Amino acid sequence: MKVGIVLSGGGIRGIAHLGVLKAFVKAGIKFSHISGTSAGSIAGALFAAGIDPEEALNIFIKTKLLRLIRPAVGSLGLLNMENTFNIFKPYFPDDKIESLNIPLTIAATNFSEGKLVYFDKGPLISSIHASSCIPGIFKPIMIGGHMYVDGGILNNFPVEPLLNNCDFIIGSSCNHLKPVDKISKITTLMSRAGVMSINKDMEQKAAFCNIMVEPPGLGEISTFDTAKAETIYWLAYEEALKTIKKNKALLDLSLQGN
């Protein structure tokens, strides 16, 4: 059986995907295809390259990769995401999507033409850069004469590439919002509105997944709150373990993997 997993965007909350993937690794469930946007594309690429999710967490914490998620404040101009190329290079020495151990699809927004693009071959690092390039903070990534920015603008949960390639689809979303009855800060209001915007079609998208893992309340954590990285990882890990234990289909997949 071909099992695919889709990883949403969400800034620092994307660390949750590593926790989810770790739980599935522990259960012996193997993936035949991964699809991701923004932070989900980074987590997916590291995993598809054969890097254990917990080691990937350490990579985020110990290297300057967090600059992708928490850019310097006060810059007079847009930051250049391509400066992180040398950080990625040791983990992706071939720098080709098709060289990964698991097929990966990366969603990005072609800003020049205003359309969604899926990368499933070609340069890996520039595709990750394109998918993670937050407009207004980072300079657009140039690929083939076109400007590219964050895939989450047009598709924050790219399940579509998995539909005709997988028999069983698992969704990992890191943007769940709990109901609230008051908001006291403008920053909280703006952040919540932003998460609502990227979640606008989640109900329809989730219907394509056989299983959804969505740790409650993660959407309330700021996109740039890097101090919460380990907390996010373990919350997601525990939520995924619970999901596996209570779902017969996942238990069956676990037995097949072992």
Side-chain angles (χ1 to χ4, degrees), residues 7 18 36-48 56 60 65 68-69 81 88 92 104 106 128-129 131-132:
L7 310 175
L18 297 176
T37 289
S38 198
S41 76
I42 302 174
L46 290 168
F47 184 74
F60 268 95
L65 272 182
L68 290 177
I69 297 172
M81 178 173 283
F88 277 119
F92 311 124
L104 173 69
I106 295 173
I128 292 172
H129 281 156
S131 184
S132 308

Side-chain angles (χ1 to χ4, degrees), residues 175-197:
N175 301 302
H176 178 269
L177 287 171
K178 291 181 178 178
V180 296
D181 53 15
K182 65 177 181 179
I183 292 178
S184 56
K185 296 180 179 179
I186 185 65
T187 53
T188 303
L189 185 149
M190 294 175 67
S191 175
R192 188 174 177 86
V195 174
M196 285 182 178
S197 177

Side-chain angles (χ1 to χ4, degrees), residues 49-109:
I51 297 170
D52 181 81
E54 196 163 341
E55 175 58 26
L57 172 65
N58 292 329
I59 290 170
F60 268 95
I61 293 172
K62 293 178 181 179
T63 71
K64 297 176 182 178
L65 272 182
L66 288 178
R67 288 183 181 178
L68 290 177
I69 297 172
R70 188 178 183 181
V73 178
S75 173
L76 293 176
L78 295 178
L79 302 177
N80 191 346
M81 178 173 283
E82 291 172 322
N83 290 336
T84 64
F85 179 89
N86 290 332
I87 299 173
F88 277 119
K89 185 64 175 174
Y91 307 106
F92 311 124
D94 288 344
D95 192 23
K96 292 181 180 178
I97 298 175
E98 54 267 41
S99 294
L100 295 169
N101 298 338
I102 304 171
L104 173 69
T105 299
I106 295 173
T109 298

Side-chain angles (χ1 to χ4, degrees), residues 23-24 47 59 61 83 85 136 144-145 166 192-193 206 209-210 212 225 252 256:
F24 285 117
F47 184 74
I59 290 170
I61 293 172
N83 290 336
F85 179 89
C166 302
R192 188 174 177 86
C209 297
N210 299 90
M212 277 292 299
D225 193 353
D252 289 342
Q256 291 173 25

Side-chain angles (χ1 to χ4, degrees), residues 129-251:
H129 281 156
S131 184
S132 308
C133 187
I134 302 171
I137 295 177
F138 295 111
K139 294 179 181 178
I141 302 299
M142 298 301 298
I143 300 176
H146 292 274
M147 294 184 294
Y148 287 86
V149 296
D150 198 313
I153 293 175
L154 295 180
N155 191 348
N156 201 53
F157 194 74
V159 67
E160 293 85 352
L162 304 181
L163 298 181
N164 295 320
N165 294 317
C166 302
D167 306 304
F168 193 94
I169 298 175
I170 297 169
S172 178
S173 174
C174 57
N175 301 302
H176 178 269
L177 287 171
K178 291 181 178 178
V180 296
D181 53 15
K182 65 177 181 179
I183 292 178
S184 56
K185 296 180 179 179
I186 185 65
T187 53
T188 303
L189 185 149
M190 294 175 67
S191 175
R192 188 174 177 86
V195 174
M196 285 182 178
S197 177
I198 62 175
N199 278 344
K200 64 185 183 301
D201 56 359
M202 269 303 299
E203 189 173 338
Q204 297 95 313
K205 294 284 190 84
F208 291 112
C209 297
N210 299 90
I211 297 293
M212 277 292 299
V213 181
E214 191 173 32
L218 275 194
E220 297 165 19
I221 296 175
S222 168
T223 302
F224 307 120
D225 193 353
T226 55
K228 298 275 181 64
E230 288 192 71
T231 299
I232 291 167
Y233 176 91
W234 290 112
L235 282 173
Y237 175 75
E238 293 296 334
E239 183 67 21
L241 284 183
K242 290 178 188 175
T243 302
I244 292 168
K245 289 177 181 177
K246 68 184 181 183
N247 189 280
K248 184 179 183 303
L250 288 178
L251 290 173

